[in-house]
Amino acid sequence: MKILDEEKATRIFSDHDKMPYLMVENGDEAVKIYAPEHSRHHSTPIQGRIYALFFPNTGDAVKSGSSLYFVLGRKKLGPIQVQ
């Protein structure tokens, strides 16, 4: 993700509970996948810089045909169909 606002990014990345997560829908089941605790950023994010977040496929939740959403606060982006 590209940092557009350093102040907002600092608030998000300094608190693991505010970090973005993935929501995976497999039929009637929805699973939230969080970034590992150690992925929290300890220094101030730099405006214009691009950062990558990696999410574990916990319990093999992400499968071909799943619908994947990226969730940040109240914003939900997606779905992306997993192939």
Side-chain angles (χ1 to χ4, degrees), residues 25-52:
E25 292 182 353
N26 293 313
D28 294 334
E29 182 182 56
V31 177
K32 292 180 181 178
I33 300 176
Y34 297 93
E37 179 73 32
H38 66 272
S39 64
R40 193 172 71 231
H41 204 272
H42 295 284
S43 61
T44 303
I46 299 171
Q47 188 160 332
R49 186 171 282 180
I50 297 173
Y51 294 87

Side-chain angles (χ1 to χ4, degrees), residues 65-79:
S66 299
S67 294
L68 185 68
Y69 296 87
F70 181 82
V71 183
L72 176 59
R74 291 185 221 146
K75 303 280 185 194
K76 183 177 172 183
L77 304 173

Side-chain angles (χ1 to χ4, degrees), residues 17-18 21 28 48 56 64:
D17 292 335
K18 294 180 182 176
Y21 63 89
D28 294 334
S64 182

Side-chain angles (χ1 to χ4, degrees), residues 10-25:
T10 299
R11 287 195 309 261
I12 292 167
F13 288 110
S14 64
D15 183 352
H16 195 266
D17 292 335
K18 294 180 182 176
M19 295 264 301
Y21 63 89
L22 299 178
M23 184 174 356
V24 183
E25 292 182 353

